[in-house]
Amino acid sequence: MTADSNSRTIIALGLEGSANQLGVGIVKHVYPDGIPADAELRPEMIELANVRDTYNPPPGEGFLPRDVAAHHRSTIIDLLHQAMEEAQITHKDLDCICYTKGPGMGAPLQAVALVARTLAQLWEIPLVGTNHCVGHVEMGRAITGADNPIVLYVSGGNTQVIAYSQQTYRIFGETLDIAIGNCLDRFARVLKLPNDPSPGYNIEQYAKRGTKYIELPYTVKGMDVSFSGILSFIERIAKNGPEKYAPEDLCYSLQETMFAMLVEITERAMAHIGSREVMVVGGVGCNVRLQEMMGQMAKERGGKVFATDMRYCIDNGVMIAQAGALAFARGFSTPIEDSWVTQRFRTDQVHVEWRT
């Protein structure tokens, strides 16, 4: 049974700017037999455009929300034109405009939401507020083909182990304090590593040259993890004993310890629900060593790991368009008066109506 017996196409524009990455993406969803009324949505996904620009502060410095928001405001119109040209469409071809409603940094979220809200009214196109975390998950599913995996979502602002059940992405475990990406970023500032292309990437390159493992605090509490203690400890030894500990060995030890913590709680979640699939998403998911460790664990359990490259791991507009288009296909849209943003928008607060 289908809601529409004819072929249906949805073209969605996605705007992402919850942190220092500003992304504009356009996707096309094709339903050859129409949108099914009582089955999971599995459209053919065609990526029409995926453009991005990054705000990078000087080495040793973090990024302030006001500076990131200023970057987004000055860049987004050019990126929008670039994406539309790459997709070879006009605004008249769009069915919906999707934007990141949260979570994220307040000022950058507001800057991008303002543009989305303005375009929706100028072009008279429905607006779809999208959860950033769900965007990562849905983009990962679309790219990797993973069926129903345990999801490890690791980024600068989030660290979660997620499993799907009853139209909700349920959080099995998460960080009790700071996200793993935030931990890596802050330690990169201690070492004065560049922010280009990202602090985490530069730590990964240093870690590849590390040869000596330094014992660091390992904090797993049930299904949750804590990174603030390990950060305080490694910051102290890096500052007080620079002649004793090589930066490469510190980066190597930090990665090995934190990634082992993530592997432990992910494996526990797999055992709980009987899954043999793991999908790693989010910016830290680009890390090859994390993928290797997760892959080894999955292989020992007779399973496999799914991951994406930097085009989709790092924040991008396509993932917002992907998740938003699925919600839009189920009739969801965001009224202008409700098109606010929030820094607190948990993954398990979203009704995943497009899955069964």
Side-chain angles (χ1 to χ4, degrees), residues 322-335:
Q322 172 69 11
L326 290 169
F328 181 73
R330 280 288 179 242
F332 177 80
S333 64
T334 303

Side-chain angles (χ1 to χ4, degrees), residues 60 186-193 203 206 238 247-248 250-251:
R186 288 166 65 175
F187 186 59
R189 294 205 292 270
V190 171
L191 297 181
K192 298 291 193 292
L193 298 184
I203 281 186
Y206 267 57
E248 292 82 359
L250 290 171
C251 292

